[in-house]
């Protein structure tokens, strides 16, 4: 029940976005500019602050974090291969395919993953979880940019592959955050507060956008695609990571922390990524909502397995 009540506010804000879009309070023509504000301002500041505060000195979690990275890469590879079969309908657009692949590994670790660790494992494990999250976030951001820039439709940036990474503000936020965390430097208080104000708008605005996008989505459209994303993201990817850690012999707590990060539902920010880089933002919004809805069940299953 604690996990349920923890994610309930997320759905409340998504519902506000959906209701606002259908009543005209949140006009649909504002989605695109609002997404740009989140992508270029709110999200970079939010990620930078989260990563910069990660306790890099706790290097005992570096092994499970790297195993989690391997699981992310394996998952992305499996998704690209499966896309040839699951997304073989010629009427399926490139944007849908790119978002289907990215939704299978781009997780909401910063909100859901850390919340589950805090409420179930305790505050003393948040530091280690934050470091694992920072490393996984760097990798899943690179993978998402690469896939969307290569397989998406008409990305606004006009760049492909490594060029898209070099022109992406999210990557600079992750890298600069890791540098700050690694050096132990602290931002002056007034700068940190300024960054905090900017970061504070990212999640609520992104969730409102998710709701607005959902107002245009018919749940009968792409049922198989949504079900396969939910299965792959919430069950298969954590299973891959768990298997790797069993083979490597990591401790039970290291295994649990990493599996909780990998089992996070689809990130709300994947909707912003899709909208800005040629993906299918409506499908990404539907995948985000569905995986959040069933994530308490997935977390319960995984906590029962790895305990």
């Amino acid at each position: 029940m604690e996990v349920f009540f923890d994610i309930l506010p997320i759905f409340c804000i998504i519902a506000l976005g959906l209701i606002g879009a259908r009543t005209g309070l949140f006009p649909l023509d504002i989605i695109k500019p609002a997404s740009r504000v989140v992508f270029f301002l709110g999200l970079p500041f939010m990620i930078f602050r989260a990563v910069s505060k990660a306790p890099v000195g706790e290097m005992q979690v570096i092994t499970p974090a790297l195993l989690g990275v391997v699981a992310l890469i394996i998952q992305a590879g499996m998704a690209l291969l499966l896309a040839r079969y699951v997304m073989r309908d010629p009427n399926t657009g490139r944007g849908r395919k790119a978002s289907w692949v990215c939704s299978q590994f781009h997780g909401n670790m910063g909100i859901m993953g850390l919340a589950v660790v805090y409420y179930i494992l305790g505050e003393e494990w948040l530091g280690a979880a934050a470091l694992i999250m920072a490393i996984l976030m760097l990798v899943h951001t690179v993978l998402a940019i690469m896939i969307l820039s290569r397989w998406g439709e008409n990305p606004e940036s006009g760049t492909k592959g490594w060029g898209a990474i070099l022109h992406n503000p999210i990557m600079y936020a992750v890298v600069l955050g890791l540098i700050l965390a690694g050096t132990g430097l602290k931002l002056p208080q007034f700068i940190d507060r300024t960054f905090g104000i900017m970061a504070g708008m990212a999640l609520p605005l992104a969730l409102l956008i998710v709701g607005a996008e959902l107002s245009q989505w018919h749940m009968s459209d792409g049922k198989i695609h949504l079900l396969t994303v939910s299965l792959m993201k919430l069950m298969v990817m954590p299973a891959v990571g768990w298997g790797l850690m069993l083979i490597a012999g990591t401790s039970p707590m290291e295994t649990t922390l990493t599996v909780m990060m990998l089992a996070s539902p689809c990130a709300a920010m994947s909707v912003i990524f899709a909208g800005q880089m040629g993906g299918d933002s409506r499908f990404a919004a539907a995948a985000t909502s569905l995986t959040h809805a069933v994530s308490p069940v997935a977390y319960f299953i995984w906590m029962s397995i790895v305990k």
Side-chain angles (χ1 to χ4, degrees), residues 12 15 19 24 38 41 89 93 99 129 147-148 167 222 238 267 273 280 287:
C12 290
I19 294 169
V38 176
L41 291 176
D89 186 339
S99 289
I147 290 169
L148 285 168
H167 289 83
F273 270 55
D280 186 336

Side-chain angles (χ1 to χ4, degrees), residues 241-273:
W242 180 53
L244 290 172
M245 282 175 278
L246 285 179
I247 294 172
T250 56
S251 71
M253 186 54 70
E254 290 173 337
T255 301
T256 301
L257 290 174
T258 308
V259 169
M260 291 303 101
M261 293 295 113
L262 294 175
S264 300
C266 299
M269 296 308 173
S270 64
V271 181
I272 307 300
F273 270 55

